[in-house]
Amino acid sequence: MTQPSPSNLAALLDRDSAQAELFELLRIPSVSSDSTRKEAMGQTAEYLRAKLASLGFSARVDETPGHPVVYAEHLKAPGKPTVLVYGHYDVQPEDPVGEWVSPPFEPEVRDGRIYARGATDDKGQAYAHVRGAELLLSQGELPVNLKFLLEGEEEIGSPNLEPYLEAHKDELKNDVIVISDGSRFAKDVPTVTYGLRGLAYIEVRVQGASRDLHSGSYGGAAPNPINALCEIIAGLKDEQGRITVPGFYDSVIPLTEQEREMWADLPHSDEEFAASIGASALPGEQGYSTLERIWGRPTLDVNGIWGGFQGEGSKTVIAAKAGAKISCRLVPGQDPAAVTKALMDYIPTLAPKGVQVEVIDHHGGQPVKFDLDSPFIKAADRALERVYGKPAAFGRTGGSIPIVADFARILGAPVLLVDLGVNEDGLHSPNESFAQEDYFNGILTSAYLMQEIALASESE
Ligand code: BES
Ligand code: MN
Ligand code: MN
C-alpha cells in the first residue's frame, strides 16, 4: 500500500509554501514573444527543472530553436498508468502596463486572489500539478507513473513543440495527457472540458498612394486605404453575423441536438454574462445561444487595426497604409490551412480600386473534440467531486491550445482538460489573477486525479 490515506489530503497541504513557490515563479517575466526576455525564459525553465528534481523526478531542460522545454519523469509505479502533464511556463505580454493595480511581475494577494501575469495562464495551473505530485509524494510513492512536459512557447503558437514531440515520441509515451490551462464553466461548477477551438490568424495590409497626402488637396480623388480596409472588414460578415468567406462553413461539423440540449441545461444567463464583461448586449451569429457561439461555432474577429493619424487633436491627412490583425476561431471539421487559404483568396476581392492588399498568414491551430465516454473522464469527474463536493459539468471552451491536436496525432493518447481557473481570472488581461482557493483546490484536484486514474486502471 503506497498511499495509506487517499481521501484527506486537504489537511496535509502546505498552503504557505505552495503559494511562496508560485510567487517565485510569477516573479520571472517569461514573456515568450518578447526577445528581451530570453534570459527569463531560461530562468523559469531552470526553476521548474530544479523543483521537479528535488521531488525525485529525473528532470532536464531541453533547448529548442526557440524557448526551452522542461521534461521530467517519475516512473516508479510498475503496472500503473502513465500520466503526462502538459503546461506552459510562458506568459502573455503585460501591456497595457499602466492598467495594473500592482506590477505584473510582483505577485500580490488582494481579496483572496493572487495578482500577477501568468497567475492562472498558465503558471498557477501548471504548478498546481507540481505541488499535487509533491503532496502525494509526502505520503508515499506516486500512484501513477508521472511525466511533466512544460513548454515556453504556447502563447506564440508552440512553433517548436511539434518537432520536439516527434523527436521524443517514445520517451513521452503515456496513457493519458492531463492539461490544466483554461477556465471552468463557473466559480461553483467544476468542469471537465472536452473540446477546444482552433485558430487561423492573418494580417491584412492595405497600401494606397505612395505617401501620406493632404486630405484637402487629394481627398475625394485619391484612394484611402483606411476606408478600403473598413470596407473589406465590413464585407466579411453579413447582417446575421455569418462569415461571408466562400467555403468558410463547408466542413463545419454541426452541433448535435444532444450537445445543444446538454449545454442549454448548464446554468448560464446572458444578462449576467453581458454584465460580467460590461457590455450592453451580445451581438453574434443568429440562431445560436451564447455558449454555442463560444464553444461550437467559428468566428472572425478583428484583433487590432491601425492606420493614419492617432496623435492629439486633428491632422488632415490621407494615410498611405493601413492594416488589421484578424483571428478566426475554428471548430471541429475546419482546417486552419484551408480557412487561411479561403481568407487569402477572398479578401483581395473585397478591395475597392486603387489599393493593394496583402494578406499574411500568422500561426494557426487545429480544433479538437474528445470522446466523453472514457474511463479518464470518469476519473476526473470523481476527483473533482472529491474536491468541490459536486459532480463536474461537461463543456467545451472557446480558447485554443494549438499543440493538443498534435498530442492526439503524434502521441496517440487521450487528452483530459481539467480547468482550474475561471473566466474572471482575466487571462491575457491586465490584473490577471488566480483565486488562492482555486490554486489550492487545483493542487488537491491534481493529487486526487492521479489516485483516481490509478484506481480506474485497477477496475478495468
Ligand atoms: N490557456 C489559453 C487557452 C484557453 C483560454 C483555454 C481560455 C480555455 C479558455 C492559452 O494559453 C492561450 O491563450 N491560447 C491562445 C493560443 C494562441 C496564442 C495560438 C489562444 O487561445 O488565443
Ligand atoms: Mn494557457
Ligand atoms: Mn494564454
Short mmCIF file of all heavy atoms in Angstrom, two decimals, residues 88 92 121 154-155 428, ligand 3:
data_model
loop_
_atom_site.label_atom_id
_atom_site.label_comp_id
_atom_site.label_asym_id
_atom_site.label_seq_id
_atom_site.Cartn_x
_atom_site.Cartn_y
_atom_site.Cartn_z
N HIS A 88 2.27 25.27 -19.76
CA HIS A 88 3.23 26.21 -20.34
C HIS A 88 3.66 27.24 -19.32
O HIS A 88 2.84 27.72 -18.54
CB HIS A 88 2.70 26.85 -21.62
CG HIS A 88 1.49 27.73 -21.48
ND1 HIS A 88 1.59 29.09 -21.29
CD2 HIS A 88 0.17 27.45 -21.50
CE1 HIS A 88 0.37 29.62 -21.23
NE2 HIS A 88 -0.52 28.64 -21.34
N GLN A 92 1.71 35.85 -21.55
CA GLN A 92 1.42 36.92 -22.50
C GLN A 92 2.14 38.21 -22.06
O GLN A 92 2.45 38.38 -20.89
CB GLN A 92 -0.10 37.19 -22.51
CG GLN A 92 -0.89 36.12 -23.24
CD GLN A 92 -0.93 36.35 -24.74
OE1 GLN A 92 -0.95 37.48 -25.21
NE2 GLN A 92 -0.92 35.27 -25.49
N ASP A 121 -2.78 31.66 -16.16
CA ASP A 121 -2.44 31.22 -17.52
C ASP A 121 -0.94 31.31 -17.74
O ASP A 121 -0.44 32.34 -18.17
CB ASP A 121 -3.20 32.08 -18.53
CG ASP A 121 -3.01 31.63 -19.97
OD1 ASP A 121 -2.49 30.52 -20.19
OD2 ASP A 121 -3.38 32.40 -20.88
N GLU A 154 3.83 28.37 -25.77
CA GLU A 154 2.40 28.17 -26.07
C GLU A 154 1.77 29.46 -26.57
O GLU A 154 0.99 29.46 -27.52
CB GLU A 154 1.66 27.65 -24.84
CG GLU A 154 0.27 27.10 -25.13
CD GLU A 154 -0.82 28.16 -25.20
OE1 GLU A 154 -0.62 29.27 -24.66
OE2 GLU A 154 -1.89 27.88 -25.78
N GLU A 155 2.11 30.56 -25.93
CA GLU A 155 1.46 31.83 -26.26
C GLU A 155 1.90 32.38 -27.62
O GLU A 155 1.35 33.38 -28.10
CB GLU A 155 1.72 32.88 -25.17
CG GLU A 155 1.20 32.50 -23.78
CD GLU A 155 -0.32 32.50 -23.66
OE1 GLU A 155 -1.03 32.63 -24.67
OE2 GLU A 155 -0.80 32.35 -22.51
N HIS A 428 -4.81 36.94 -20.07
CA HIS A 428 -4.30 37.89 -21.07
C HIS A 428 -4.65 39.34 -20.75
O HIS A 428 -4.24 40.24 -21.49
CB HIS A 428 -4.80 37.55 -22.50
CG HIS A 428 -4.35 36.22 -23.00
ND1 HIS A 428 -4.40 35.87 -24.32
CD2 HIS A 428 -3.81 35.15 -22.35
CE1 HIS A 428 -3.94 34.63 -24.48
NE2 HIS A 428 -3.58 34.17 -23.29
MN MN B 3 -2.82 32.18 -22.91
#
